[in-house]
Amino acid sequence: MNERQPAGSDFLRWGKRLLWANMIFSFLFLYLPIVILVAFSFNDSKLGARWVGFTTQWYVSMAQSEAILTAMENSLIVALASTIIATILGTMTAMAMERFRFPFQRTYDGILYLPVIIPDIVMAISLLAFFSLLLGGVNNLLGLEGNAALRPGLVTVIIAHVAFNISFVAIVVRTSLGELDPGLEEAAQDLGANEWTTFRRVTLPLIMPGILGGALLAFTLSLDDFVITFFTTGPGGTTLPIEVFGRIRRAISPEINAISTAMLLVSMILVIVSQLVQRRTAALSSNSVQETQ
Amino acid sequence: MTQRRKALLAFLLGPGAGWLLLFFLLPGALVIVYSILTRKDGGGVEWIVDFSSYVKLFSPTDGAVINDFMVIFARSLWWAALTSFVCLLIGYPLAYFIALQPAHVRSTYLFLVLIPFWTNFLVRTYAWKFILNNNGLLNTLLQDWGFERIAIINTPTAVLIGLVYGSLPFMVLPLYASIEKLDFDLVEAAQDLGANYLSVFRRIILPLTAPGIGAGIVLVFIPVTGQYIVPTILGGGKVAMLGNLLAQQFGPALNWPFGSAISVIFMVLLMAAVVFYLRSENRDGEAGL
C-alpha cells in the first residue's frame, strides 16, 4: 500500500521529482499569500509593505471600531438565522427525496442543484430585482413612505442566504441518508415504532453528523458570502465581507489585514470542527455496521 | 401511497420547495421578464414590452464587428477556459501526487487543499492585492533588491493569478476523487505488457480519470465566468468580466432590462455548456461499458 507505483527507471525518478516540485509549488502558491497577509497584520507601519516592527495596534483599533463590531454582529445574525432555517428545510427536503417517490422528482432534483451551480452574481441580481419589486409593491399597497417604508436589509439577506443554503444542506444530508442501512429503520418499525418514533430514535441520531456537516457548510457559506449579500442588503445591513470590501476599495491599510486574519481564524476553526464531525461520522457508521452484524 | 404518507411528503417537501419557488425560481423568471421591458430612470423597469436590450447586446458598434459587451462575454469565457487549463496543469499532478501517498499522509495533504476551500474568498483575493499592488510587497521587494517596479495590479495577469488561486482547490478535489479510485494494477499490467510510461498515461490513466477532469473543469469554469470579486479587486474594474458588466447595469448604469438581457444570454450559454458536458459524460460512460 505504501508504494503503489512500480519501481523503475530514470524516467520514473524524474517524474517523481516533478510531482514533488509541483506539490511544493502548489502549496506555496496556496499558502504564501495567506501567511504574508497574517504576518503583515502585525506590521508597525501605516503605509506600504515594508516590515518595520511588531505591533498589535491594528487589532486594538479593529476591536474599537464601531463599524466593524456592528458588521461582525450582523454577520453572525445572518449566518445563525440562515443556517438554522436552511438546515431544517434542507433536512426535510433530503428526507422527502430519499424516502419517497413522487411525480417530477427528477426535475426537482435538478432544480435543487441549480443554486449550487449557478454563478452567484446571477442569483444576486435576480434577487435584487425581486426584492425591489416586492418591497416596492408592499410599500405602495400599504402606503408606506419615508422612514416607515420597507427596505432591503438583514431580513432580505437572510432570505437570500437560506435560498442557496437549502440546496447545500439537502445534498450533504442526502448523502448520509443514502449511506444509512434501511434495515435499521425497518427493524424499528417491525418492533412497533411508528414513523415519528423511528425518525426520532433511529434515523435522526444516525444522520446527525450529516446534518451537522451540512449546517457547518451552510454557516461557512453564509459567513463568507459577499456577492449575494452585496446585492440584497440595504441600510443597516452591512455584514463583515461588505465592510471589508468597502475598505479594500478605499485603500490598503494594515487594519484590513487584521480583520482578514480574524476572519481566517474563524474559517480555520470551522474547518477543524467539520473535520472532527466527519471523523465522527466515519466512526459512527463503522459502529452501526458492527452492531448490525 | 396512503393519505398519511402523502400528507407527510407534502409536509417534508412543502417548505423547502416553497422557499426555492418564491426566492429562487420566481426571481429567475422575473429577470427573463425584465429583459424584454423598458428601462426606467433611477433603476427598475417600465412595464412596456421592448426588445431593444437584446438588439443593443447583439448589434455591432461603429467600425467594429463585435461590440464591447461581446468582448466582455468572449473575455469571460476565454479566461474561464484559461483558468481551467492552468488549474488542470497544476492540479492534476498535485492530485496524482496525493493519491500516491500512504493513506495516513494522504488525509493531511487533502486537509491542506481543503483549508483554502473553506476560507473567505474575499480575504484570499485581498491577500494577492496586498502582494501585487503598486506599493505592494512584490514591488517593495523588487525595489529593495535593485530591480525595476512592475505594474501588474489591474492587468489581465493579476486577474488570472487571482482566478487560478481561487479555483485550484475546486479542480484538485474531484481529480483526487477519481485518481484515488484508479486501479494501479492496470497500470502495472500495461507496463508488464511493454507499454512505456507515456502510453500508459495516455491510454490507461487519462481515460480512467476523465470523469474527474470533466467534473473539475465544470466546477472551475462556471463560477469563473461569473466572477465579480477577482476582476473588481485585482482588475480594478479596468479589465471587466461578465460579473462586472452585470453589477454595472444593476448598479451605476441603472439599466435593469439590459442587465437582465445579459443575464439571460449568460444563462443560456451556461446551460448549453452543462448539457454538452452531461452528453459527453454519458457517451464516455457507454464507451466505458
Side-chain angles (χ1 to χ4, degrees):
Chain A
M1 202 57 185
N2 276 2
E3 284 295 325
R4 294 213 283 175
Q5 205 166 8
S9 65
D10 274 358
F11 188 88
L12 195 67
R13 211 167 306 131
W14 273 105
K16 275 198 161 174
R17 275 180 203 162
L18 277 176
L19 282 182
W20 268 98
N22 179 74
M23 181 275 289
I24 291 167
F25 168 80
S26 305
F27 284 119
L28 280 179
F29 177 61
L30 284 176
Y31 282 92
L32 208 54
I34 298 177
V35 172
I36 289 169
L37 187 79
V38 173
F40 276 86
S41 72
F42 296 104
N43 186 21
D44 195 3
S45 158
K46 181 87 194 159
L47 290 165
R50 188 171 279 114
W51 184 262
V52 177
F54 182 87
T55 180
T56 51
Q57 62 164 309
W58 311 119
Y59 289 90
V60 175
S61 63
M62 172 183 90
Q64 284 167 350
S65 158
E66 198 65 43
I68 290 172
L69 293 180
T70 312
M72 275 180 183
E73 196 187 330
N74 285 340
S75 273
L76 263 182
I77 292 171
V78 169
L80 277 176
S82 69
T83 300
I84 291 168
I85 301 173
T87 304
I88 294 169
L89 298 189
T91 303
M92 286 162 73
T93 305
M95 287 290 296
M97 298 300 283
E98 276 295 312
R99 293 287 183 264
F100 288 84
R101 290 289 158 263
F102 54 91
F104 299 108
Q105 190 162 9
R106 287 197 54 145
T107 312
Y108 189 58
D109 200 17
I111 291 172
L112 265 180
Y113 275 93
L114 276 182
V116 178
I117 324 173
I118 239 170
D120 47 8
I121 185 87
V122 172
M123 196 169 161
I125 54 129
S126 69
L127 281 164
L128 166 69
F130 175 76
F131 283 132
S132 149
L133 185 72
L134 184 74
L135 296 180
V138 171
N139 285 337
N140 262 339
L141 203 69
L142 302 178
L144 299 172
E145 276 174 5
N147 281 337
L150 299 177
R151 286 205 188 86
L154 284 186
V155 175
T156 47
V157 173
I158 292 169
I159 290 174
H161 283 203
V162 173
F164 67 73
N165 269 337
I166 288 178
S167 296
F168 283 99
V169 174
I171 290 168
V172 175
V173 175
R174 268 186 85 175
T175 314
S176 49
L177 270 171
E179 285 164 0
L180 193 68
D181 181 1
L184 293 174
E185 285 168 335
E186 280 163 28
Q189 292 191 336
D190 287 347
L191 293 171
N194 64 23
E195 268 171 342
W196 171 243
T197 313
T198 309
F199 174 74
R200 206 167 53 85
R201 304 286 291 271
V202 179
T203 316
L204 191 62
L206 285 173
I207 62 167
M208 202 33 124
I211 296 175
L212 278 178
L216 273 168
L217 182 62
F219 191 78
T220 310
L221 290 172
S222 174
L223 213 54
D224 283 356
D225 176 72
F226 166 74
V227 174
I228 288 173
T229 311
F230 189 59
F231 286 93
T232 51
T233 193
T238 304
T239 61
L240 203 50
I242 304 283
E243 173 72 22
V244 170
F245 182 78
R247 283 166 185 256
I248 293 174
R249 295 205 80 178
R250 282 200 295 277
I252 297 273
S253 87
E255 227 176 18
I256 306 176
N257 290 40
I259 310 168
S260 299
T261 304
M263 286 164 84
L264 286 174
L265 204 66
V266 173
S267 300
M268 300 278 170
I269 292 169
L270 285 170
V271 195
I272 291 168
V273 173
S274 85
Q275 288 292 310
L276 289 178
V277 167
Q278 261 184 28
R279 296 249 164 90
R280 196 168 145 66
T281 318
L284 255 181
S285 58
S286 63
N287 274 346
S288 73
V289 167
Q290 279 165 8
E291 277 161 22
T292 46
Q293 273 167 355
Chain B
M1 223 186 301
T2 63
Q3 275 311 319
R4 238 185 76 81
R5 288 283 287 175
K6 270 188 189 158
L8 186 59
L9 174 64
F11 165 73
L12 289 174
L13 208 53
W19 202 290
L20 284 177
L21 181 71
L22 194 58
F23 301 116
F24 180 71
L25 293 178
L26 207 60
L30 189 67
V31 166
I32 300 176
V33 174
Y34 272 21
S35 75
I36 54 164
L37 293 178
T38 310
R39 177 188 173 197
K40 185 168 153 189
D41 290 335
V45 291
E46 304 274 7
W47 289 81
I48 305 162
V49 174
D50 182 359
F51 289 92
S52 65
S53 292
Y54 287 99
V55 176
K56 183 179 176 184
L57 190 54
F58 288 109
S59 54
T61 33
D62 300 330
V65 185
I66 56 168
N67 60 30
D68 291 350
F69 313 117
M70 285 297 142
V71 170
I72 293 177
F73 260 99
R75 180 190 291 146
S76 300
L77 295 177
W78 165 235
W79 283 3
L82 211 58
T83 305
S84 309
F85 180 71
V86 176
C87 284
L88 189 61
L89 220 58
I90 307 170
Y92 197 99
L94 179 62
Y96 198 87
F97 174 87
I98 297 174
L100 286 180
Q101 300 309 305
H104 62 281
V105 192
R106 246 182 284 162
S107 58
T108 310
Y109 279 113
L110 267 187
F111 187 56
L112 284 175
V113 177
L114 260 175
I115 290 177
F117 183 86
W118 281 74
T119 10
N120 191 294
F121 191 77
L122 186 67
V123 165
R124 286 190 297 138
T125 308
Y126 166 70
W128 276 104
K129 178 159 179 154
F130 184 77
I131 295 170
L132 300 179
N133 223 17
N134 285 334
N135 297 315
L137 187 68
L138 181 66
N139 275 324
T140 307
L141 289 178
L142 283 176
Q143 205 180 16
D144 288 359
W145 293 336
F147 294 101
E148 288 276 310
R149 286 163 164 255
I150 51 170
I152 189 170
I153 194 80
N154 301 347
T155 65
T157 314
V159 177
L160 280 167
I161 291 175
L163 293 175
V164 170
Y165 182 68
S167 311
L168 191 56
F170 290 88
M171 181 62 89
V172 176
L173 294 174
L175 279 176
Y176 170 79
S178 79
I179 296 173
E180 203 249 332
K181 271 188 263 166
L182 189 72
D183 183 357
F184 279 84
D185 288 346
L186 286 176
V187 176
E188 240 170 285
Q191 280 167 345
D192 289 347
L193 293 171
N196 65 28
Y197 293 110
L198 264 180
S199 60
V200 168
F201 181 72
R202 204 166 51 85
R203 308 273 292 267
I204 312 262
I205 301 176
L206 209 53
L208 285 176
T209 54
I213 297 176
I217 289 176
V218 168
L219 283 180
V220 171
F221 188 88
I222 292 180
V224 168
T225 52
Q227 254 298 330
Y228 174 74
I229 292 178
V230 173
T232 307
I233 291 181
L234 296 176
K238 290 190 178 64
V239 271
M241 291 178 74
L242 272 171
N244 304 85
L245 187 58
L246 281 173
Q248 168 78 13
Q249 296 308 318
F250 278 88
L254 291 173
N255 193 344
W256 289 25
F258 188 55
S260 302
I262 295 166
S263 178
V264 169
I265 298 298
F266 181 26
M267 279 299 90
V268 169
L269 278 176
L270 285 188
M271 291 293 171
V274 169
V275 168
F276 175 77
Y277 162 72
L278 290 176
R279 284 233 171 131
S280 61
E281 269 289 274
N282 283 341
R283 212 177 38 237
D284 286 351
E286 282 157 25
L289 288 172

